[in-house]
Amino acid sequence: MYLLKKIQIENLVFTLIIFWGIVMSFLVPTWQTPDEFTHIWMIGDSLKIEDFDKKIEESIALDRERVEFNYDEKIDINDQIASFTARPTYSREEMLPQGVSITLIKHFSATLGILLGILIGIPTYWVLQLGELFALLFYAIVCYYALKLMPIKKEVLAVVMLFPMALQQAASLNYDAVLIPLCFFFVAYIFHLRYSNDRVGIRQIIFALCLG
């Protein structure tokens, strides 16, 4: 508690989220999250890119096994290391957006990182890692402002934000990396409206409804 008094809690939590999120991002091997491939497909579908998921899979050159059906099988560590420097097999042009769907909002932070990696031309492994980093950064930023907004019990909300499961989802391509921090912000905003001296008007109600 003394440390929290000396350091603003939102700054401390932001730093811990980034640190542990990056650790978890690298600890989990590619394709070892059961729905990772599904979310890559969803990202490609929201950008109207044909066979986006399959091109990513072929380019990273790892044997993708569905974890939920092959829970005892793991990615070969040597193949994983080789993927760090494997050149993409797709062209930059065929991976650029052909349109945008409203469903992009679910993965927009991870999508920005993935598209940046594709534009730079880095190996596909790092393209996915960049997507996870952008997702983690979004989580950390929203949590930071949620804590600044929270008028009471900041420590309780901070602990929930740092739960291992929340951090694992934050540092992934899952849409939970967008959903979870926005839920935190929604809770903080409701408490802010409850305890602030400001009058709650139509704008505040509309903003709360949009968050909800």
Side-chain angles (χ1 to χ4, degrees):
M1 285 299 178
Y2 176 76
L3 179 62
L4 294 180
K5 290 178 181 178
K6 298 291 287 184
I7 304 174
Q8 284 189 316
I9 189 171
E10 53 266 23
N11 293 334
L12 177 62
V13 169
F14 180 90
T15 303
L16 290 174
I17 286 173
I18 294 296
F19 176 77
W20 287 113
I22 290 175
V23 169
M24 288 193 173
S25 175
F26 282 99
L27 278 180
V28 180
T30 310
W31 307 138
Q32 291 302 291
T33 304
D35 54 358
E36 186 173 17
F37 190 77
T38 301
H39 286 284
I40 293 173
W41 170 81
M42 293 171 72
I43 290 172
D45 185 63
S46 66
L47 296 174
K48 312 296 184 184
I49 303 173
E50 187 175 356
D51 293 330
F52 181 84
D53 51 339
K54 293 182 176 62
K55 291 168 184 172
I56 291 288
E57 180 185 18
E58 292 169 359
S59 185
I60 206 167
L62 288 173
D63 183 22
R64 181 182 66 84
E65 295 290 348
R66 297 295 296 273
V67 176
E68 60 268 41
F69 302 126
N70 303 276
Y71 59 87
D72 58 339
E73 295 184 19
K74 304 298 180 185
I75 294 294
D76 185 277
I77 188 62
N78 293 320
D79 290 342
Q80 181 75 87
I81 293 172
S83 71
F84 295 168
T85 55
R87 293 179 61 84
T89 57
Y90 51 75
S91 67
R92 186 181 289 110
E93 291 74 19
E94 65 183 330
M95 299 295 277
L96 293 180
Q98 304 299 312
V100 176
S101 167
I102 188 64
T103 57
L104 178 65
I105 195 171
K106 295 186 296 184
H107 297 90
F108 83 94
S109 51
T111 302
L112 289 177
I114 288 174
L115 289 178
L116 177 61
I118 290 172
L119 287 172
I120 295 173
I122 57 179
T124 307
Y125 171 83
W126 297 106
V127 168
L128 298 182
Q129 289 300 120
L130 201 55
E132 292 181 357
L133 178 61
F134 270 59
L136 177 64
L137 189 59
F138 176 83
Y139 180 89
I141 291 172
V142 176
C143 286
Y144 172 87
Y145 284 106
L147 282 175
K148 284 187 73 72
L149 194 63
M150 189 72 169
I152 61 170
K153 304 296 183 183
K154 288 177 182 277
E155 294 83 1
V156 175
L157 183 59
V159 169
V160 176
M161 290 173 172
L162 293 170
F163 278 176
M165 182 56 73
L167 291 179
Q168 190 277 323
Q169 292 295 83
S172 72
L173 303 179
N174 198 303
Y175 48 57
D176 285 343
V178 172
L179 175 64
I180 294 175
L182 288 180
C183 287
F184 292 149
F185 193 86
F186 178 74
V187 170
Y189 188 67
I190 295 301
F191 274 95
H192 168 74
L193 293 181
R194 167 63 179 82
Y195 286 94
S196 70
N197 295 321
D198 298 334
R199 184 176 174 214
V200 178
I202 188 67
R203 286 193 302 176
Q204 288 80 8
I205 293 173
I206 291 174
F207 184 69
L209 288 173
C210 288
L211 277 176

